[in-house]
Amino acid sequence: MSENGPLATTVGDLRLMLSVLADDGLAGRTERTPLRIAVALRSPLAG
């Protein structure tokens, strides 16, 4: 299985990710804890 594009494990994570991609800021974010962001530069497909 592979996914090209946004991938989240919770609805809250997905809401935050899509609000950032839509340039709406951090919609719905109330916690003041640091954000952890990961970036994968390699293709998820073998080859």
Side-chain angles (χ1 to χ4, degrees), residues 2-35:
S2 67
E3 175 65 34
N4 292 323
L7 182 65
T9 56
T10 66
V11 173
D13 290 346
L14 183 60
R15 179 180 179 192
L16 175 64
M17 184 183 334
L18 292 177
S19 70
V20 170
L21 289 174
D23 199 20
D24 284 343
L26 301 176
R29 179 146 168 87
T30 57
E31 309 92 30
R32 295 291 180 215
T33 58
L35 293 175

Side-chain angles (χ1 to χ4, degrees), residues 40-45:
L41 300 177
R42 294 186 306 169
S43 172
L45 303 175

